[in-house]
Amino acid sequence: MMKRLFSLLVVGLLPLLAGCEMVVFQPQGPAARSITELINWSIWWMLLVVVVVFALFAYIVWKYRDRPERQGEEPPEEHGSTVLEIVWTVIPILIVVALTIPTVRTLYDLEKPPKGYEDQDPLVIHVTSADWKWIFSYPEQNIETVNYVNIPVNRLVLFKMTSASTMQSFWVPALAGQKYTMNKMETELYVVAERPGSYEGRNTNFNGRGYTHMQFEVLAQTPKEFDKWVQEVKQTAPKLTKEKYEELLLPTHLGRLTFVGTHLQWVNHADPHSKTYTNPELYRWHGYQGKIFDENDRHTSNVTDDEQQASESHSGGEHHGH
């Protein structure tokens, strides 16, 4: 019976495992590599514990199994073993120490520039999470993008992260670990991409339905390609206005947008005295602007036509970006 259940479990998991890209185990930068090494170290220790426990379980089941020659046999009274008590107390302590030391060391190292990049001036990019999009501001280049961010390879990048509304989670598994974005607070994340390529980022915080689609692209380019992109944006992208930025903060799903100028000239959401843009009155009847869902929207099923039209007028029209 147990063998049958185990076989069914393995067969059921195979399709799921086959679809996993395991991005975490394919690091493309020093920060992600440190995290992968820490995960591998933890896995080896967990495997050791599992092997030892199952080996002892099999040994005890076999040694003390019921046999015909033991019928009616009275087992001797056990008074315990001081040596065994010490062994199975000390071993877990050593395992915890072996996991704690590299974990603490790695976490502290991730708060600093990676080795080899300490003397490099970072490219500073401000990250602002909103409902339901990611906004990236380049103060030095005077550029702002929505739902995508371009960075040069082998260049130290410092993400200064905050939120315009609720707390969310910034994660690019191929390049770095996860960090939260919080309104009126700022967190920092150092990132280096060692190879050109496109890397997926997302919000990993379970805030609700709209937040599950908060995905963005990190495009790592050669320095020459990055400089060319900056010049093209300055020549072709529209200028960001305060009114347009406040419109972006409404609870909407958007595609990619690009602007000349940044919202930092009007508001820095990391400032404790900055305004909070939650727009709670639009959460229920927003109509999921810019995103079409296959299933019926239960949030608007009981809304009258007048209420729906009023909500759509507050949300604005469809956005098209550069």
Side-chain angles (χ1 to χ4, degrees):
M1 182 64 179
M2 292 300 295
K3 287 184 177 180
R4 183 177 299 175
L5 290 175
F6 181 76
S7 300
L8 291 174
L9 178 62
V10 172
V11 172
L13 288 176
L14 281 178
L16 299 177
L17 295 176
C20 293
E21 296 182 14
M22 305 298 284
V23 179
V24 175
F25 294 97
Q26 302 171 13
Q28 303 297 319
R33 188 177 303 108
S34 298
I35 296 172
T36 302
E37 292 172 354
L38 180 61
I39 293 174
N40 290 332
W41 175 257
S42 303
I43 289 176
W44 281 114
W45 278 103
M46 288 186 284
L47 286 175
L48 176 62
V49 171
V50 169
V51 169
V52 171
V53 169
F54 275 87
L56 289 174
F57 174 76
Y59 170 75
I60 291 172
V61 169
W62 175 260
K63 180 177 180 179
Y64 296 102
R65 70 190 187 281
D66 189 21
R67 289 178 288 181
E69 60 269 22
R70 286 187 172 179
Q71 292 293 332
E73 180 180 342
E74 186 72 20
E77 184 177 352
E78 297 287 347
H79 297 281
S81 170
T82 302
V83 174
L84 287 178
E85 292 286 351
I86 295 175
V87 168
W88 61 49
T89 301
V90 171
I91 289 179
I93 294 176
L94 294 177
I95 293 175
V96 170
V97 171
L99 292 172
T100 301
I101 292 177
T103 299
V104 172
R105 183 184 295 128
T106 300
L107 291 178
Y108 274 93
D109 288 343
L110 291 175
E111 297 298 319
K112 302 178 294 184
K115 291 182 178 179
Y117 297 90
E118 302 94 334
D119 300 329
Q120 191 179 100
D121 291 332
L123 170 64
V124 178
I125 302 176
H126 289 254
V127 180
T128 304
S129 59
D131 304 328
W132 299 283
K133 73 244 355 142
W134 293 95
I135 301 171
F136 300 92
S137 307
Y138 298 75
E140 183 180 344
Q141 289 75 22
N142 197 35
I143 289 174
E144 187 150 297
T145 63
V146 179
N147 290 331
Y148 81 97
V149 56
N150 291 2
I151 61 174
V153 296
N154 294 317
R155 171 79 184 274
L156 181 65
V157 177
L158 173 58
F159 287 120
K160 293 188 174 184
M161 304 183 294
T162 187
S163 175
S165 56
T166 58
M167 183 176 74
Q168 294 162 38
S169 175
F170 181 92
W171 188 34
V172 187
L175 298 178
Q178 170 270 340
K179 269 200 174 181
Y180 289 108
T181 61
M182 294 168 280
N183 184 238
K184 302 184 189 333
M185 295 184 65
E186 185 175 85
T187 55
E188 295 184 348
L189 181 67
Y190 285 102
V191 171
V192 175
E194 296 177 329
R195 301 178 185 85
S198 174
Y199 308 109
E200 182 186 24
R202 59 176 59 245
N203 171 31
T204 61
N205 213 36
F206 295 101
N207 314 63
R209 181 182 184 185
Y211 299 88
T212 60
H213 297 275
M214 283 183 61
Q215 300 175 350
F216 60 94
E217 179 192 21
V218 179
L219 182 62
Q221 303 174 298
T222 65
K224 185 177 180 180
E225 290 173 337
F226 178 78
D227 292 339
K228 180 181 178 181
W229 170 75
V230 170
Q231 295 303 318
E232 288 179 350
V233 169
K234 290 182 177 181
Q235 295 172 6
T236 60
K239 184 178 180 180
L240 181 65
T241 63
K242 184 178 180 180
E243 293 74 21
K244 182 63 177 180
Y245 178 68
E246 291 183 351
E247 181 185 349
L248 294 177
L249 295 180
L250 295 175
T252 54
H253 282 103
L254 303 175
R256 300 187 182 197
L257 300 174
T258 311
F259 300 97
V260 173
T262 74
H263 72 268
L264 300 175
Q265 57 187 311
W266 305 301
V267 58
N268 182 359
H269 300 286
D271 186 344
H273 304 290
S274 63
K275 180 181 176 181
T276 300
Y277 295 84
T278 51
N279 296 292
E281 71 281 359
L282 298 180
Y283 289 166
R284 184 175 182 184
W285 300 306
H286 49 71
Y288 297 105
Q289 174 191 351
K291 178 72 177 181
I292 298 176
F293 290 85
D294 295 330
E295 65 272 23
N296 293 328
D297 188 356
R298 293 175 295 175
H299 297 280
T300 60
S301 58
N302 297 322
V303 181
T304 64
D305 293 339
D306 292 339
E307 290 173 325
Q308 181 67 24
Q309 292 175 2
S311 170
E312 291 175 353
S313 66
H314 283 296
S315 298
E318 184 178 358
H319 298 283
H320 298 279
H322 171 73

